[in-house]
Amino acid sequence: MNGTDVKPSVTPGLRLGRVSFVWRPWVLLVTLLLAAATFLVFCLSIGIGDFPISLSQVIATIFGQGEPVDEFVIMDLRMPRAMAGLVVGVALGVSGAITQSIARNPLASPDVLGITGGASAVAVFLVTVSGGAASAIEGTVGLSAAALAGGLGTGLLVYFLAWRRGIDSFRLILIGISVSAVMEALTSWMLTKADIRDVARAQAWLVGSLDNRSWDEVTPALWCTAALLVLVSCVAFQFKPMHFGDDVAAGLGVRYGMVRAVLLLCAVLLAGVAVSAAGPVPFVALVAPQVAMRLARCPTPPMVASGAVGAVLLIGADLVARTALPVTLPVGVVTSAIGGPFLVYLLVRANRR
């Protein structure tokens, strides 16, 4: 134009093979702010309690500069619960982001697809059914590991039932809802047939709670979540072209079938780890990706931001459940109060479209 060459603007990014990973400044800024908010809520959750500790003392103790009394209260008594909320929130947020991206539907989440229902059914079976086999499994494998296996088995069942030369989002959600309904019916039936003491124990687990968490329960969930997040980060950059369709992804050299299967497996395992650590905490995996998508102004849920929103939501809900209400409640009650209206909002918005 008028003899002047106009060069197109280039967004800084990383090119891997034929797929480019683009850095968007606004997404990066939102992610950093969410990470800071996660750390702030994490420290506030540790500091607030019967023995209050200031925010500065909490931060100093976390970095090894605190007093011996503060170190005992924070590291031994309160840190396992807060760390469980952090790990479970991140796992549910990333799991929800993956399932919603693969299904291309904001209603797709581990809750809707039956993953948490399958984990809950296996856990309730071990708690309520008396007998040598159930007791042996619970004593040898553990309730958390059995719940993880139940979530994985249910997720694989939904995937294979929904596979018809590919994954259709509508079929995936319908089959997930059906499997979830079956698992909930089995869970209710086992509760009606069980002893009242076993029912009370199972109900306390089914609500979703972070009470009485120890390092023995948190450490396996932390390492499993970290390993799965590393795998997701290695595969996720190839997932971006799949939003434009399988033909475009194949033209860019993406093996979209394998990428989709690996990411969906990671989502199922992340949800299973979260359920095994805290029970089936509802609606976090549904709400966190949608909130992150709106904050980051992305067409699809950003995974890192979704994990941060999930952590903020779960830790904040636990803080409200144990401090802001007249009685101490499980964290699942608060997340249900938040997620229920949000689900209605998503349904109303979908109907308007």
Side-chain angles (χ1 to χ4, degrees):
M1 297 178 184
N2 297 328
T4 304
D5 294 333
V6 179
K7 295 182 180 180
S9 59
V10 178
T11 304
L14 176 66
R15 187 171 183 83
L16 297 173
R18 302 179 67 183
V19 180
S20 296
F21 183 80
V22 179
W23 298 98
R24 293 188 175 93
W26 177 253
V27 177
L28 181 60
L29 176 61
V30 169
T31 303
L32 293 176
L33 291 176
L34 287 173
T38 302
F39 181 73
L40 178 61
V41 176
F42 179 80
C43 294
L44 288 175
S45 177
I46 293 174
I48 297 176
D50 295 333
F51 180 73
I53 303 175
S54 66
L55 183 61
S56 59
Q57 289 175 306
V58 171
I59 296 175
T61 304
I62 291 176
F63 289 99
Q65 303 296 324
E67 299 294 332
V69 176
D70 295 339
E71 184 175 353
F72 170 73
V73 173
I74 291 173
M75 303 304 296
D76 295 339
L77 300 181
R78 298 181 182 175
M79 181 68 78
R81 178 171 186 155
M83 186 61 69
L86 177 66
V87 172
V88 172
V90 170
L92 289 177
V94 175
S95 177
I98 294 174
T99 54
Q100 291 178 9
S101 298
I102 290 177
R104 300 175 187 174
N105 193 312
L107 300 180
S109 70
D111 311 271
V112 177
L113 297 181
I115 299 170
T116 56
S120 301
V122 172
V124 170
F125 173 79
L126 294 181
V127 171
T128 59
V129 176
S130 59
S135 301
I137 293 174
E138 184 177 0
T140 304
V141 179
L143 187 63
S144 299
L148 175 60
L152 176 60
T154 307
L156 293 177
L157 175 64
V158 171
Y159 183 82
F160 286 124
L161 290 177
W163 178 267
R164 293 293 184 276
R165 296 181 180 179
I167 292 293
D168 179 74
S169 61
F170 187 70
R171 184 170 59 244
L172 179 66
I173 292 177
L174 284 181
I175 292 177
I177 292 174
S178 302
V179 172
S180 180
V182 171
M183 294 300 171
E184 290 179 3
L186 289 175
T187 301
S188 301
W189 178 76
M190 287 185 287
L191 291 176
T192 58
K193 297 294 183 179
D195 182 78
I196 187 64
R197 290 168 294 183
D198 294 334
V199 170
R201 181 186 171 195
Q203 287 287 4
W205 189 87
L206 282 173
V207 175
S209 176
L210 300 176
D211 294 338
N212 301 320
R213 289 297 176 266
S214 64
W215 284 115
D216 292 336
E217 298 170 313
V218 175
T219 302
L222 175 62
W223 286 112
C224 290
T225 302
L228 289 170
L229 291 179
V230 170
L231 180 58
V232 168
S233 64
C234 294
V235 182
F237 73 93
Q238 297 191 33
F239 187 66
K240 287 293 183 181
M242 295 171 59
H243 298 304
F244 301 101
D246 294 343
D247 294 336
V248 175
L252 293 172
V254 176
R255 300 174 63 182
Y256 55 87
M258 184 189 69
V259 172
R260 185 184 288 118
V262 171
L263 285 177
L264 191 58
L265 177 62
C266 290
V268 171
L269 290 174
L270 284 170
V273 169
V275 173
S276 67
V281 182
F283 291 112
V284 175
L286 175 71
V287 174
Q290 293 300 308
V291 173
M293 186 176 66
R294 285 159 174 78
L295 291 176
R297 302 174 187 173
C298 291
T300 57
M303 295 185 187
V304 179
S306 299
V309 172
V312 171
L313 178 61
L314 189 55
I315 299 174
D318 181 61
L319 184 61
V320 170
R322 65 182 178 86
T323 61
L325 299 176
V327 294
T328 302
L329 295 175
V331 66
V333 176
V334 179
T335 58
S336 297
I338 297 173
F342 192 83
L343 177 60
V344 174
Y345 160 75
L346 291 178
L347 291 172
V348 171
R349 183 171 180 176
N351 288 333
R352 286 180 177 177
R353 287 184 176 178

